[in-house]
Amino acid sequence: MTMTALSDGLAEARIEQPKPQRTTLWLVLPGVLWMTLFLVLPMLMMVYVSFWTQTTFAITPVLTTKSWVNFFSSDTYLTALWTTIRIWLTVLAATLLVGYPTALFVGLFVRNKTLQTVLLVLCVIPFWTSFLIRVLAWRPMLGKEGAINLVLQGLHLTSAPIEALLFSELSVVIGMTQIYCVFMVGPIAFMLGRIDPNVLEAARDLGAGFGRIFRTIILPLSMPGVVVGAIFVSVMVLGEFATSAALSGRKVNLLGNIIVTQVGSLKWAFAAVVGVVLTVIMGVVVAALLRVVDLRKEL
Amino acid sequence: MATILKLDNVSKLYGSLRALDGVTLSLPDNAYISLLGPSGSGKTTLLRVIAGFERQDGGGVLLAGESLDGVPAHRRNIGFVFQNFALFPHLSVARNISFGLENSEGTARPSAGVIAAKVRDIVALTGLGGLEERGVAQISGGQRQRVALARTLVTEPGLVLLDEPLGALDANLRTRMRDELRAIRERLGVTFLHVTGSETEALAMGDSLIVLDRGRIGQIDAPDTVYNRPASPAVARFLNCYNLFEGSLGEGAFVGPAGRFALDAAAAASKGGGPAYAVRHDRIEVRPPAAPAGADEVRIEGAFVASEYTGATQLSFFRLDDGRLVEVEAHLSHRSPAAYGADERYGLVWKRRDALVYA
């Protein structure tokens, strides 16, 4: 009797099994639908359009590789590609250089959780003003008559204003580093804050000085944060156009700027080519960064 | 016996709280010492001061006769085993164990061959063979405990501090690890200072037992001395096996709300920390209310509340007229558990000479 009751129960359980699976399906559906409609389809469309035939005033769905050949045979566009990669790598290095010590301080040396939160919020305060204002605010800072030059001259450290500060690649790098640094600080500080203080004390107890502990414990344990921060910064910098437009005096052309100009002059096919190139670069960068650390294991 | 560690009037303040209040003690070389204290008694603080994670506000710490004043934690040659083990989560078992040898600043780094040999030896000693390449998240709690121990012992520290090392293990494993800890220590001949909040663990483990009471040393003695003759009512309370009565010491008797307890001539040779009167749970006998007490006995009355059966013993609770609970422990090796009627009154009787009196 008990046995039958038991097997009856089992049968019921087996019948009810599919239910949770259907729930999973319903939970996944909205996301899949949204991504298909607004990410996958547009991307396929972009690839398709990049092979359309572009004339001065019109675009026709006749397949051709003309836009692609045009992109890879033009010095201007290849220079823009190279500039984009160069600026991306410089900004990535700069945000890491500025961001890691900041995160180290906030995440590891400040053990008071309230103070930690306050400091992280302080990092986000610049975001209370709009993106454009933050970028443009660098002009009175870096300009020929700007704050930095005035101070330097006032202290008699320089006799003439340094012109290279504004409307150069340097000003673009400075502006981007300031804007995107917090995306590096956040994930790293988060990972550092999760390190058990006892683990660091154990390392000290086993005879390791701070340098050793940093190299063997702190750095490896914070790597997932570095990778996530690098993905954030990379994706945003590679798609950038506004900072370079506002701070380079049109001297620095990124792939993003080219897309803006081409779309402005209705050159859809060509804009699509640049878009595909940019998407491929981002995909490769993100995939490469994810190879460094197995995020699923770490988070 | 040579002294390995000496604390001289060590004190530590957290704001206005005296976590350590003039602790003075010497630990002998090659011994297992357990340190018992309730939570908040300052036992972890004491270990952290010895290890160098915290600085004392006064007094001195000497290891093998040399002052540790100003010596940072990583140059002290003192091992520390954490309660949560604090293993390096990104390293394998073998790399956790070799960490101290590979990264120590104080001593010359041994060659890779020497490190491998030492790791092999300690892995064998702690019974971790076959797990060397596992990650520390892939092994059991008991194995993690062994890795924490092996990682510390492989650096050959002069003294090993263990902060509630068995606290994170389940009861079964805890008793087994007790024996192993003792065996490992005996093989290495190093002094272990084992901090615990469990009185049974403290009594079972230590060659000698230190009781810490609100930042001060309550008693240092052999475990059986501490158990049978606690130095103060506070120590008796931590041991969790004494009924304590308050009151005052009169002529030939101890008088309190619970009654008048006549004193034995020997018991009257009282200790400090009171006034208090203590009787061990298992020294009390339960008798029917009508039965009188003998000439050398003390008798009070209480109503039965409840009893707890633990297999080898029966612990019964009786409520006195003033509301206080008295615990009686009966060992069941030669008798079967008694059945008491709820709320019925019984006589609780003990020998005068079994009582401890504190002035």
Side-chain angles (χ1 to χ4, degrees):
Chain A
M1 180 61 213
T2 350
M3 276 308 284
T4 24
L6 204 65
S7 50
D8 276 358
L10 278 177
E12 265 169 51
R14 218 172 291 130
I15 291 163
E16 287 188 10
Q17 272 277 317
K19 241 188 183 169
Q21 288 209 343
R22 201 173 300 158
T23 320
T24 323
L25 207 72
W26 281 110
L27 286 173
V28 163
L29 192 68
V32 170
L33 223 69
W34 179 270
M35 292 303 250
T36 314
L37 277 177
F38 299 112
L39 187 78
V40 179
L41 284 182
M43 267 169 115
L44 293 175
M45 194 66 200
M46 181 170 74
V47 176
Y48 183 42
V49 169
S50 74
F51 289 100
W52 283 9
T53 307
Q54 177 87 56
T55 56
T56 316
F57 300 109
I59 182 163
T60 46
V62 179
L63 296 187
T64 166
T65 54
K66 203 167 150 266
S67 299
W68 282 94
V69 173
N70 203 356
F71 180 88
F72 283 105
S73 58
S74 150
D75 262 354
T76 323
Y77 301 133
L78 289 179
T79 312
L81 174 63
W82 171 232
T83 311
T84 308
I85 290 174
R86 196 175 56 233
I87 288 203
W88 157 61
L89 286 174
T90 317
V91 172
L92 193 61
T95 48
L96 195 61
L97 219 62
V98 178
Y100 200 97
T102 313
L104 197 62
F105 177 75
V106 175
L108 209 59
F109 289 88
V110 180
R111 275 296 169 194
N112 180 332
K113 286 282 166 206
T114 321
L115 189 59
Q116 224 175 50
T117 315
V118 168
L119 288 173
L120 279 177
V121 168
L122 276 181
C123 289
V124 185
I125 279 187
F127 286 79
W128 294 358
T129 59
S130 88
F131 177 87
L132 208 58
I133 289 177
R134 265 178 293 141
V135 172
L136 289 175
W138 278 108
R139 283 197 185 176
M141 201 63 184
L142 300 171
K144 237 196 296 191
E145 307 270 306
I148 290 176
N149 272 324
L150 285 183
V151 169
L152 285 179
Q153 281 171 288
L155 293 172
H156 299 289
L157 290 172
T158 52
S159 50
I162 306 169
E163 294 197 27
L165 278 182
L166 187 58
F167 299 134
S168 62
E169 214 169 289
L170 178 68
S171 56
V172 176
V173 169
I174 291 177
M176 286 190 182
T177 304
Q178 186 253 321
I179 288 165
Y180 299 119
C181 202
V182 68
F183 295 102
M184 192 60 105
V185 174
I188 299 177
F190 174 76
M191 284 312 289
L192 289 172
R194 290 190 357 161
I195 298 179
D196 175 3
N198 282 350
V199 164
L200 302 180
E201 279 173 350
R204 213 147 70 90
D205 188 68
L206 293 170
F210 182 79
R212 283 260 161 185
I213 296 178
F214 180 77
R215 209 147 45 81
T216 54
I217 312 283
I218 298 173
L219 195 60
L221 287 181
S222 66
M223 270 323 272
V226 173
V227 166
V228 171
I231 290 175
F232 283 166
V233 172
S234 300
V235 167
M236 285 184 285
V237 170
L238 285 170
E240 253 278 21
F241 60 91
T243 310
S244 55
L247 291 180
S248 78
R250 308 204 172 216
K251 271 183 258 173
V252 178
N253 263 323
L254 304 178
L255 289 183
N257 298 94
I258 291 179
I259 296 179
V260 172
T261 353
Q262 299 296 330
V263 169
S265 51
L266 301 178
K267 298 262 174 61
W268 293 104
F270 199 76
V273 169
V274 183
V276 172
V277 170
L278 206 48
T279 310
V280 168
I281 294 176
M282 281 186 199
V284 169
V285 167
V286 171
L289 282 170
L290 284 177
R291 284 195 80 98
V292 177
V293 177
D294 184 356
L295 283 183
R296 255 177 310 181
K297 209 175 83 190
E298 302 288 346
L299 290 177
Chain B
M1 237 190 299
T3 300
I4 182 74
L5 180 85
K6 214 172 137 54
L7 298 184
D8 183 21
N9 201 19
V10 171
S11 51
K12 171 84 192 164
L13 293 163
Y14 288 116
S16 62
L17 180 79
R18 278 196 171 273
L20 295 176
D21 191 3
V23 173
T24 298
L25 59 86
S26 313
L27 300 189
D29 200 3
N30 192 7
Y32 204 122
I33 321 262
S34 41
L35 177 70
L36 173 67
S39 54
S41 62
K43 49 193 196 310
T44 297
T45 309
L46 184 65
L47 281 203
R48 293 178 61 85
V49 164
I50 297 172
F53 298 143
E54 316 255 352
R55 258 190 73 84
Q56 70 269 30
D57 295 311
V61 181
L62 289 94
L63 184 71
E66 300 206 12
S67 170
L68 290 179
D69 213 28
V71 181
H74 61 281
R75 293 182 181 275
R76 288 197 173 192
N77 194 29
I78 291 178
F80 199 113
V81 177
F82 290 85
Q83 181 173 12
N84 63 358
F85 311 143
L87 301 179
F88 307 125
H90 58 303
L91 299 179
S92 66
V93 168
R95 295 294 311 282
N96 259 280
I97 294 174
S98 63
F99 184 89
L101 299 172
E102 285 166 350
N103 296 294
S104 175
E105 238 176 39
T107 49
R109 248 156 245 155
S111 69
V114 174
I115 291 178
K118 286 190 174 195
V119 169
R120 217 166 27 243
D121 287 349
I122 205 78
V123 161
L125 178 67
T126 49
L128 285 166
L131 301 173
E132 291 91 334
E133 295 314 314
R134 294 266 193 96
V136 290
Q138 297 165 295
I139 56 177
S140 71
Q143 289 164 341
R144 256 178 246 149
Q145 159 78 70
R146 284 161 213 259
V147 175
L149 196 65
R151 178 179 75 172
T152 303
L153 295 177
V154 80
T155 61
E156 293 165 22
L159 168 71
V160 180
L161 310 172
L162 303 107
D163 187 8
E164 309 211 18
L166 308 179
L169 305 181
D170 59 51
N172 236 336
L173 207 53
R174 213 176 299 153
T175 18
R176 222 176 58 213
M177 279 309 289
R178 277 189 202 167
D179 301 337
E180 273 194 49
L181 276 178
R182 288 188 66 96
I184 289 171
R185 194 211 68 75
E186 266 158 37
R187 298 254 319 255
L188 296 174
V190 63
T191 293
F192 275 23
L193 178 59
H194 177 135
V195 159
T196 173
S198 148
E199 64 281 356
T200 45
E201 196 173 299
L203 290 166
M205 301 291 296
D207 300 326
S208 68
L209 172 55
I210 303 171
V211 183
L212 203 60
D213 168 26
R214 278 163 298 164
R216 270 177 248 182
I217 300 288
Q219 187 168 8
I220 308 181
D221 265 315
D224 62 331
T225 314
V226 175
Y227 189 74
N228 291 310
R229 319 280 313 165
S232 68
V235 173
R237 188 170 302 118
F238 303 156
L239 292 173
N240 208 14
C241 61
Y242 279 90
N243 289 301
L244 285 158
F245 300 94
E246 56 213 41
S248 58
L249 205 53
E251 197 56 46
F254 184 89
V255 186
R260 186 174 183 283
F261 306 147
L263 297 185
D264 193 58
S270 57
K271 313 168 185 205
Y277 184 98
V279 192
R280 233 164 71 186
H281 296 163
D282 58 349
R283 296 286 193 218
I284 301 178
E285 202 184 316
V286 182
R287 290 186 193 160
D296 60 342
E297 290 176 335
V298 175
R299 180 180 178 280
I300 54 176
E301 271 191 21
F304 176 71
V305 178
S307 69
E308 204 173 81
Y309 174 73
T310 63
T313 61
Q314 181 188 25
L315 194 61
S316 310
F317 299 87
F318 294 87
R319 193 180 301 285
L320 304 186
D321 296 335
D322 65 345
R324 171 193 317 278
L325 279 180
V326 169
E327 292 177 46
V328 178
E329 187 180 354
H331 299 281
L332 301 176
S333 41
H334 300 295
R335 54 177 138 164
S336 42
Y340 303 119
D343 292 323
E344 275 176 42
R345 290 178 74 81
Y346 290 91
L348 306 173
V349 182
W350 60 89
K351 296 253 191 290
R352 283 184 199 176
R353 61 178 150 84
D354 286 338
L356 298 170
V357 184
Y358 300 92

